[in-house]
Amino acid sequence: MKRTLSFLMACAMTAALMTGCSYSSKESPETGTQVQTEATTTASAPETAQAPAAAETEKQEVSLEAPGASHLRIGSLKGPTSMGLVSLMDKVSKDAAEGDYEFIMVTDASELVAQMVSGSLDIALVPANMASILYQKTNHGINVLDINTLGVLYVVSADDSIKSISDLKGKTVYMTGKGTTPDYVLKHLLSASGLTSDDVTIEYKSEATEVAAVLAQDGSAIGLLPQPFVTAAMAQNDSLKMVLDLTKEWDNIQSEDGGSLVTGVTVCRSQLFEDAASARAIDTFMKEHKESAEYANANVEETAQLVASAGIIEKAPVAAKAIPYCSITYIDGEEMKEKLYGYLSVLYSQDPSSVGGELPDKSFFYLP
């Protein structure tokens, strides 16, 4: 068990390389990068990275600690996934929620992994490919409830001539995370556009601040960054623009079964469905999660205040600028299954270990 738990924690730290929406001069747990902005904040960010091959460790069944039939313990990373929950968190603080919830926000994805495995969390909002890794490593002990965040990746430049992925031919793109899901996404889009690694030069930096520094110094430079680091870079250089939204580029080249660019998903421990009261509590949570995500998108200024109060982003005005580009959503059921499975299939084709060594089967998806 120690061996498996250590592996899962290592995977989670790797998986934290691309998940979220926040600003900090410290390393972001969800992107694995650093960013410095005029408004210092305390948060992080959602999407993930490369994981060791599935054969490296035995599978581990998730523990079931009974918390009380309807009391749900929910963990998330400080980033876009938590932004979609802040309205519900606010209701809980005012005793106005329909369900009985206990929330924790962390800055290290390994904490969520360890607590899901031990049973001390019932629900967690995690990077999309980390959900697949957890599914494989917990002997199918989790289910995906919903997609909570779509793509947060953008190509940033002052070059207005870039209108599509094919316009990157012959150019240099600066980004972080070699061998992570953003890297896989870019290479997939390049290939689908008829380009190879010989057509585009990719310069990898260790931190988002390094990419932002290049963009600040060279008006012709091109960077690939997640939100909210995009907003931070644009604040430092007002000539920069979001020239490409990789979620839209992905949708443009995918077939009907090609899924969508997914950042974060919500998972729960499968054993909870064995108890009728717990199962009803999960359905109630899903309803309130949907309402909370919808509130975030419809009430940006109010949500920005809640985001700042929760310590996700320190300054509400900064949060207000970032929220519209953080792709906060709520998608469940068959649509969730199609979008997520298609996305994981693309990652699997690039590197099977990025999704835990094999694609999840249909029991991975909770279809109420």
Side-chain angles (χ1 to χ4, degrees), residues 143-328:
N143 295 104
V144 177
L145 302 178
D146 62 64
I147 294 171
N148 55 57
T149 324
L150 291 172
V152 295
L153 290 170
Y154 295 85
V155 173
V156 182
S157 179
D159 187 350
D160 291 323
S161 69
I162 301 172
K163 305 294 185 183
S164 68
I165 290 292
S166 59
D167 292 330
L168 297 177
K169 184 175 183 178
K171 300 183 184 297
T172 298
V173 177
Y174 296 88
M175 65 177 293
T176 62
K178 185 174 183 178
T180 66
T181 50
D183 193 21
Y184 299 144
V185 166
L186 178 59
K187 289 179 178 177
H188 173 66
L189 293 175
L190 290 174
S191 176
S193 300
L195 302 179
T196 70
S197 55
D198 294 330
D199 296 313
V200 179
T201 301
I202 302 177
E203 291 282 347
Y204 297 99
K205 300 295 184 181
S206 61
E207 300 173 1
T209 48
E210 294 182 48
V211 177
V214 172
L215 294 171
Q217 295 169 8
D218 183 356
S220 64
I222 303 167
L224 174 60
L225 289 168
Q227 284 288 2
F229 301 100
V230 170
T231 302
M234 292 171 61
Q236 295 170 351
N237 183 346
D238 58 12
S239 68
L240 294 174
K241 308 175 186 66
M242 290 180 282
V243 294
L244 293 178
D245 177 344
L246 293 201
T247 301
K248 292 181 180 178
E249 296 300 315
W250 181 287
D251 290 343
N252 287 341
I253 57 93
Q254 293 305 114
S255 61
E256 290 184 1
D257 61 350
S260 294
L261 184 53
V262 179
T263 291
V265 300
T266 306
V267 300
C268 75
R269 295 185 294 116
S270 303
Q271 296 98 320
L272 294 175
F273 292 106
E274 298 172 6
D275 176 81
S278 294
R280 287 194 298 271
I282 291 170
D283 288 338
T284 298
F285 165 75
M286 292 175 69
K287 179 177 73 74
E288 294 196 285
H289 187 190
K290 179 180 181 180
E291 293 169 354
S292 186
E294 290 174 345
Y295 182 90
N297 289 317
N299 302 275
V300 172
E301 295 297 330
E302 294 84 351
T303 299
Q305 292 292 337
L306 293 175
V307 166
S309 296
I312 299 171
I313 294 179
E314 186 175 304
K315 302 289 186 179
V318 179
K321 289 181 179 179
I323 288 170
Y325 301 102
C326 287
S327 299
I328 297 166

Side-chain angles (χ1 to χ4, degrees), residues 82-149:
S82 291
M83 288 181 184
L85 275 179
V86 291
S87 175
L88 179 54
M89 293 176 180
D90 184 54
K91 286 184 178 181
V92 170
S93 71
K94 297 174 180 176
D95 292 326
E98 183 177 344
D100 179 13
Y101 312 119
E102 173 186 348
F103 292 99
I104 68 163
M105 283 193 294
V106 300
T107 57
D108 188 339
S110 64
E111 294 183 53
L112 297 182
V113 171
Q115 292 187 58
M116 285 296 291
V117 171
S118 70
S120 57
L121 278 180
D122 302 307
I123 293 173
L125 285 70
V126 298
N129 69 318
M130 173 50 59
S132 180
I133 293 170
L134 272 171
Y135 182 70
Q136 309 299 348
K137 302 307 175 185
T138 58
N139 197 24
H140 300 184
I142 65 164
N143 295 104
V144 177
L145 302 178
D146 62 64
I147 294 171
N148 55 57
T149 324

